[in-house]
Amino acid sequence: MSWDQVWIDINIATMDPSSNEAYGAITEAALAVKDGKIAWIGKRADLPEFDVLATPVYRGHGGWLTPGLIDAHTHLVFAGSRANEFELRLQGASYEDIARAGGGIVSTVKACREADEAELFDLARRRLNALAKEGVTTVEIKSGYGLDLDTELKLLRVARELGKHHHVDVVTTFLGAHAVPPEFKGQGEAGTEAYVDLVVNEMLPAVVAENLADAADVFCENIAFNLEQTERVLSAAKGLGLDVKLHAEQLSNLGGSELAARLGAKSVDHIEYLDEAGVKAIAHSGTCAVLLPGAFYFLRETKLPPIDLLRHYQVPMVLASDFNPGSSPICSTLLMLNMGCTLFRLTPEEALAGVTRNAARALGRDQRVGVLREGMEADFCLWRISTPAELAYSYGVNPLVDVVKSGKLVHQ
Ligand code: DI6
Ligand code: FE
């Protein structure tokens, strides 16, 4: 056998759903890499003979390999800070009060319009580094803090650029319909309609023409866009060949998830207020449920997403950071594993699937990453842990040892 790299003295949480073991575990395992892909995976005792002189052999010292982590929902390109709103909320104002008073998303929009690309890149690069240091090898990044053509393009360009400079794959999402921008806001419903026209007729085609987005998203909510407006944006996006997904049922139940299911959305995200009809609809369409415990925690929400129903209907559950300056200023995917278990009562195995296998599916990458199996990309992390549950159980002492991205060893 001639391989580029062999790993021994490891256990592997493959997260392969066809395994009978929890976490798809292979203990006392070995893994071989060739041409950026997993060429062999199994028990160390079964590892075929290979040229030990010509092949780098890495020892895991009894640690665990997992698939590289995937954060499938972030807004990590933004400027400015919303610490002042944090203080207001601590004095009693609600997230919705602040949004209605012209703060919230719109204040970040102002900062993003003023920032140049280099500044945005530098801010975002630090955040991406923080995620990479926790073993994230694929991240989704949304625009949505520009709300005019030039700024939306600028944010997406920065997101695309980040993917070229890092050992992290970046999947980009156009979220032009995140909020109604201030210049349309005074005009009531007519202003919202006019802004949706702009998103559909000008922004989406421009984003697609420059190949800046892989998907489109909408904030479907009472304080943002209604069902009909959401459908207009997502249908147009689909028509242009983008994947679609939706911020739905975060603060109320508008039926966004059923609409998303009908449009074949990859995911519905937040979904605290999702009901059984909505869960059935997304189960039927194969749409993933993206759970965002960071926002739930930070906004001190009390309405839990319908985890038991999602389990019952076998909807793939994803955990993501939703990292953003307003509702989840928490730049940690590992912390989401812990919060997914403590706040949402996921099992540690469900939590880990939520940042690997199911997250890959939500991003349309499940043929390449998210599971360790022969033929998949050699995209994995080595952790100094004695059982995979430790990744969700404890937080703060980073157990990441090494990352391999597309077959390349990236030292942390
Ligand atoms: N839902 C959220 O939680 C974020 N966006 C969204 O549609 C919040 C974004 C922000 O407050 O800046
Ligand atoms: Fe979000």
Side-chain angles (χ1 to χ4, degrees):
M1 284 300 161
S2 110
W3 288 318
D4 298 335
Q5 180 188 119
V6 171
W7 287 76
I8 58 170
D9 198 7
I10 50 170
N11 305 289
I12 306 179
T14 68
M15 302 313 285
D16 190 334
S18 65
S19 162
N20 292 323
E21 302 295 325
Y23 302 94
I26 309 172
T27 54
E28 295 172 21
L31 180 149
V33 175
K34 175 83 179 169
D35 297 330
K37 299 250 161 67
I38 298 172
W40 191 91
I41 184 167
K43 282 282 193 190
R44 168 75 171 97
D46 301 329
L47 182 68
E49 301 249 335
F50 63 98
D51 184 348
V52 283
L53 294 178
T55 313
V57 176
Y58 297 99
R59 287 171 188 281
H61 304 286
W64 282 79
L65 294 193
T66 67
L69 304 190
I70 301 169
D71 196 329
H73 180 142
T74 84
H75 308 243
L76 71 73
V77 180
F78 63 86
S81 158
R82 305 252 289 277
N84 59 325
E85 293 177 12
F86 183 51
E87 293 185 306
L88 286 175
R89 286 207 299 117
L90 285 166
Q91 289 158 25
S94 75
Y95 183 73
E96 281 163 296
D97 292 338
I98 291 170
R100 287 186 201 281
I105 292 174
V106 168
S107 75
T108 302
V109 168
K110 188 163 178 291
C112 287
R113 289 179 178 179
E114 283 163 9
D116 66 20
E117 227 162 288
E119 182 186 347
L120 284 162
F121 183 86
D122 188 56
L123 290 164
R125 185 178 57 86
R126 287 160 188 272
R127 299 167 188 149
L128 191 58
N129 278 343
L131 296 181
K133 281 194 162 35
E134 293 191 335
V136 171
T137 55
T138 304
V139 70
E140 186 257 17
I141 302 177
K142 299 173 197 296
S143 68
Y145 288 120
L147 309 184
D148 63 29
L149 178 60
D150 287 350
T151 315
E152 285 294 310
L153 294 177
K154 180 169 75 177
L155 297 174
L156 288 170
R157 246 183 256 120
V158 169
R160 277 274 194 252
E161 212 41 43
L162 286 166
K164 296 183 193 148
H165 292 267
H166 278 263
H167 302 286
V168 179
D169 279 332
V170 174
V171 179
T172 58
T173 299
F174 170 61
L175 178 57
H178 191 194
V180 181
E183 55 278 18
F184 288 82
K185 194 76 194 177
Q187 305 156 41
E189 198 49 24
T192 307
E193 286 292 329
Y195 180 62
V196 172
D197 288 342
L198 184 73
V199 168
V200 169
N201 299 329
E202 288 179 38
M203 294 166 112
L204 261 174
V207 163
V208 170
E210 292 196 37
N211 188 25
L212 288 174
D214 304 304
D217 191 349
V218 174
F219 188 19
C220 179
E221 194 58 66
N222 283 321
I223 55 168
F225 299 92
N226 67 27
L227 272 185
E228 180 273 327
Q229 292 156 347
T230 300
E231 177 157 11
R232 277 215 284 144
V233 174
L234 293 189
S235 303
K238 243 184 106 167
L240 291 168
L242 297 182
D243 284 340
V244 298
K245 56 180 74 173
L246 194 60
H247 278 72
E249 275 73 74
Q250 179 184 6
L251 309 168
S252 63
N253 186 344
L254 295 190
S257 295
E258 283 165 273
L259 167 66
R262 185 153 56 71
L263 296 173
K266 285 262 181 281
S267 69
V268 287
D269 304 40
H270 284 290
I271 61 165
E272 279 83 349
Y273 284 81
L274 188 61
D275 60 13
E276 184 160 6
V279 174
K280 276 190 188 163
I282 61 172
H284 189 70
S285 60
T287 300
C288 296
V290 178
L291 306 173
L292 304 169
F296 177 90
Y297 155 83
F298 189 72
L299 298 179
R300 303 184 77 231
E301 299 288 351
T302 50
K303 174 93 174 129
L304 284 163
I307 303 294
D308 286 339
L309 286 172
L310 294 168
R311 270 193 197 116
H312 179 76
Y313 290 100
Q314 298 183 345
V315 175
M317 290 187 279
V318 178
L319 274 179
S321 68
D322 195 19
F323 178 57
N324 76 72
S327 66
S328 186
I330 298 167
C331 193
S332 170
T333 311
L334 278 183
L335 183 53
M336 297 307 131
L337 292 179
N338 180 268
M339 287 185 176
C341 297
T342 53
L343 298 177
F344 292 171
R345 311 311 286 163
L346 297 188
T347 67
E349 185 178 358
E350 286 171 330
L352 191 57
V355 297
T356 56
R357 181 177 71 231
N358 293 343
R361 178 163 162 179
L363 297 182
R365 299 273 171 124
D366 48 325
Q367 299 303 309
R368 292 162 50 184
V369 294
V371 165
L372 299 180
R373 159 190 323 135
E374 278 169 28
M376 298 290 271
E377 283 180 23
D379 189 314
F380 53 83
C381 301
L382 172 67
W383 308 93
R384 186 171 295 137
I385 51 178
S386 56
T387 155
E390 267 180 51
L391 290 177
Y393 152 75
S394 176
Y395 176 77
V397 181
N398 189 342
L400 185 66
V401 181
D402 275 316
V403 174
V404 171
K405 177 71 190 167
S406 305
K408 279 202 196 67
L409 186 62
V410 185
H411 285 288
Q412 289 307 305

